[in-house]
Amino acid sequence: MLVRVAEVLRDSIRSSDFAARIGGDEYSILLAEGQAEDDASALVERIQAKLAEPLIYDGRQCRIGASFGIAHVDDLATTGEVAREI
């Protein structure tokens, strides 16, 4: 399943975006600067559609489901102070 999710993410995001496996079955995607919330929603729809396509593994049909959340800010500089540890 991890390979399938990796393939879907690789095929869905642009080279300027960043996807990472956070742990277990959790992933984060950071869209490149200049992307709107609608762009994130469209990406989620594409990923959900690709994940919904049946996968044959060891002669069995498998389906993957996923839930998504979107966090968006227009200007990172306006999100407040960032704590730094030195």
Side-chain angles (χ1 to χ4, degrees), residues 16-76:
S16 56
D17 300 330
F18 179 78
R21 180 176 174 218
I22 303 302
D25 59 354
E26 297 178 10
Y27 297 82
S28 288
I29 300 171
L30 302 176
L31 299 183
E33 185 178 2
Q35 299 302 298
E37 192 171 350
D38 289 344
D39 298 315
S41 295
L43 175 62
V44 165
E45 289 176 16
R46 286 194 307 273
I47 292 172
Q48 285 178 319
K50 288 181 181 182
L51 288 176
E53 296 172 2
L55 167 71
I56 304 300
Y57 177 77
D58 199 22
R60 295 190 172 114
Q61 182 174 317
C62 303
R63 294 190 181 272
I64 302 173
S67 59
F68 294 83
I70 297 174
H72 179 267
V73 63
D74 288 323
D75 183 2
L76 286 175

